[in-house]
């Protein structure tokens, strides 16, 4: 039987930390029960492990006690890192011991999966350098700034690379659990767990859930002014060449600075601003696709549809049907 270690951080916790721990512990054990009921051997011995006697959130409102200390886990096959608090800068207190232990176990053959902001702990080990990483869209900028060698993929729900798995934000950790169950158990067990816990199987993107607020956590004042201009005038026809001249910066240098500061080219940033406005219109008004398209500055339906789907993962009509208050069920 393989060994699954679900880590219990000693500090930097949030309510989502406990949700990830409880969800993973419950669903993996249910997968084992299903296997036994069908005459098969369980795949994992599941343990909660930490570097302290207990972990708590909100001044002890919720407390979890690890079953074992990580020092007693000499060999494990899969490590799950739950989400942590969003104000992470570096591993604090015993969490530094967890990071060191994760690195050692990975080099000893273990696979590692991070949930949401748990990617921060994983990235601090250096194991994500040069690798793709998914995380909650609201923490993507922080991850880029803290760990510039990590290839951040905020649109992806799950990444799977060299025995390292990461996933997006919030309760999408449930999709990662189903993904891992299919990988380690089988398709039948994954489908069973998805039905029991009512988790949508095969979801691959978190794009539709992203709320684009503009990447402003940088120090380039020229780029910040350019961002503000794009956000205030996105309905107009904007020439990026003229925009760079407006701020007295050569076009190539302007593009380079913009990408470094925001992770997007100026054109991509403008597209995201337009599509975010379109999303809000679909959610809150009765306007049809063409009306919204013209409102946000597009005149070519094909181009609008292609950019919308690239950014959200859904067609404009598909998004409208899913999120419009006209189709809401009460």
């Amino acid at each position: 039987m393989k060994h699954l270690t679900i880590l219990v951080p000693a500090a930097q916790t949030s309510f989502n930390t406990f949700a990830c721990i409880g969800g993973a512990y419950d669903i993996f054990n249910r997968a084992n029960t299903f296997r036994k009921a069908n005459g098969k051997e369980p795949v994992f011995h599941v343990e909660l492990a930490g570097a302290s006697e207990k972990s708590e959130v909100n001044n002890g409102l919720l407390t979890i006690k690890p079953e074992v200390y990580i020092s007693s886990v000499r060999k494990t096959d899969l490590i799950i890192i739950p989400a942590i608090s969003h104000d992470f800068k570096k591993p604090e207190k015993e969490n530094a011991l967890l990071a060191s232990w994760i690195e050692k176990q990975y080099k000893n053959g273990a696979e590692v999966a991070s949930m949401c902001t748990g990617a921060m702990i994983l990235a601090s080990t250096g194991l994500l350098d040069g690798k793709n990483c998914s995380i909650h869209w609201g923490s993507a900028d922080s991850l880029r700034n803290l760990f510039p060698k990590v290839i951040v993929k905020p649109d992806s729900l799950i990444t799977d690379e060299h025995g390292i798995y990461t996933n997006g934000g919030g309760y999408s950790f449930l999709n990662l659990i189903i993904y891992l169950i299919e990988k380690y158990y089988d398709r039948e067990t994954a489908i069973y767990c998805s039905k029991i816990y009512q988790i949508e199987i095969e979801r691959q993107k978190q794009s539709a859930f992203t709320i684009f607020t503009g990447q402003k956590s940088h120090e380039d004042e020229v780029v910040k002014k350019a961002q503000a201009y794009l956000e205030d005038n996105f309905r107009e026809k904007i020439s990026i060449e003229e925009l760079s001249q407006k701020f007295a910066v050569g076009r190539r240098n302007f593009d380079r600075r913009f990408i470094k500061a925001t992770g997007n080219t100026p054109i991509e940033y403008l597209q995201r601003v337009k599509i975010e406005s379109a999303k809000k219109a679909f959610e809150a008004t009765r306007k049809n696709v063409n009306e919204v398209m013209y409102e946000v500055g597009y005149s070519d339906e094909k181009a609008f549809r292609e950019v919308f789907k690239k950014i959200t993962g859904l067609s404009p009509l598909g998004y409208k049907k899913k999120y419009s208050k006209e189709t809401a069920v009460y």
Side-chain angles (χ1 to χ4, degrees):
M1 189 184 301
K2 295 181 182 293
H3 188 273
L4 167 59
T5 304
I6 302 173
L7 294 181
V8 181
Q12 300 170 294
T13 56
S14 68
F15 281 106
N16 203 26
T17 307
F18 285 27
C20 291
I21 293 170
Y25 191 86
D26 185 26
I27 299 173
F28 274 104
N29 277 305
R30 176 62 72 96
N32 282 339
T33 300
F34 177 74
R35 292 270 296 185
K36 287 191 288 186
N38 285 275
K40 300 176 182 178
E41 289 294 317
V43 172
F44 282 118
H45 171 62
V46 185
E47 271 190 328
L48 302 182
S52 62
E53 290 187 1
K54 64 180 180 179
S55 178
E56 61 181 32
V57 67
N58 203 18
N59 296 319
L61 181 62
L62 292 178
T63 300
I64 290 184
K65 294 182 179 181
E67 297 171 283
V68 296
Y69 285 101
I70 55 169
S71 58
S72 69
V73 182
R74 302 298 181 187
K75 179 77 168 65
T76 191
D77 297 286
L78 176 62
I79 301 165
I80 288 182
I81 310 168
I84 56 172
S85 57
H86 290 266
D87 58 354
F88 178 93
K89 293 294 183 294
K90 64 179 182 179
E92 296 177 0
K93 300 180 181 178
E94 291 90 341
N95 286 352
L97 297 176
L98 295 184
S100 177
W101 182 83
I102 291 165
E103 183 181 7
K104 180 180 177 181
Q105 289 293 329
Y106 178 74
K107 291 178 178 178
N108 197 32
E111 295 196 328
V112 186
S114 69
M115 297 171 164
C116 190
T117 46
M120 298 290 194
I121 293 284
L122 181 55
S124 69
T125 67
L127 297 177
L128 279 176
D129 288 357
K131 296 185 179 68
N132 295 316
C133 176
S134 180
I135 194 170
H136 192 286
W137 52 264
S139 297
D141 283 351
S142 295
L143 181 61
R144 287 190 188 98
N145 293 334
L146 288 170
F147 305 102
K149 293 182 181 180
V150 176
I151 304 169
V152 184
K153 297 286 187 179
D155 291 339
S156 299
L157 186 71
I158 295 169
T159 66
D160 176 346
E161 195 170 356
H162 303 298
I164 294 179
Y165 312 90
T166 67
N167 92 283
Y171 284 74
S172 69
F173 74 83
L174 296 168
N175 299 97
L176 175 63
I177 293 173
I178 296 299
Y179 180 87
L180 292 172
I181 286 174
E182 180 170 359
K183 191 150 192 171
Y184 277 93
Y185 292 72
D186 51 40
R187 178 74 174 177
E188 181 186 16
T189 307
I191 291 174
Y192 169 79
C193 289
S194 76
K195 290 181 176 180
I196 288 295
Y197 293 95
Q198 299 186 35
I199 304 167
E200 183 180 350
I201 199 167
E202 302 290 10
R203 189 159 72 85
Q204 298 178 341
K205 294 284 186 180
Q206 59 174 341
S207 312
F209 298 96
T210 301
I211 300 173
F212 184 71
T213 56
Q215 301 98 321
K216 306 289 176 57
S217 57
H218 60 84
E219 304 302 323
D220 193 321
E221 293 303 320
V222 169
V223 172
K224 285 184 178 179
K225 290 176 182 178
Q227 288 175 270
Y229 183 87
L230 292 173
E231 291 165 11
D232 291 340
N233 299 277
F234 70 88
R235 293 180 176 85
E236 309 300 325
K237 188 173 182 179
I238 297 176
S239 164
I240 304 301
E241 186 71 39
E242 293 175 1
L243 183 62
S244 66
Q245 293 174 6
K246 177 181 176 67
F247 294 103
V249 180
R251 175 62 192 274
R252 290 183 64 183
N253 190 34
F254 182 72
D255 283 0
R256 180 187 61 78
R257 287 173 63 173
F258 208 101
I259 293 169
K260 182 179 179 181
T262 71
N264 293 127
T265 66
I267 291 174
E268 289 170 341
Y269 193 89
L270 178 59
Q271 289 174 338
R272 285 187 172 274
V273 172
K274 286 176 178 286
I275 298 307
E276 189 62 29
S277 180
K279 286 163 56 182
K280 291 176 181 176
F282 286 138
E283 293 163 7
T285 73
R286 296 176 180 272
K287 294 175 181 176
N288 62 36
V289 171
N290 281 345
E291 288 175 317
V292 171
M293 176 185 74
Y294 290 122
E295 185 179 272
V296 300
Y298 280 93
S299 57
D300 185 327
E301 185 178 349
K302 182 181 178 183
F304 176 63
R305 187 169 60 248
E306 288 177 350
V307 173
F308 194 99
K309 188 165 186 177
K310 177 184 177 182
I311 290 175
T312 70
L314 298 171
S315 69
L317 186 59
Y319 191 93
K320 178 178 173 63
K321 287 181 178 178
K322 189 169 186 176
Y323 290 105
S324 172
K325 64 180 182 180
E326 293 181 60
T327 57
V329 177
Y330 296 96

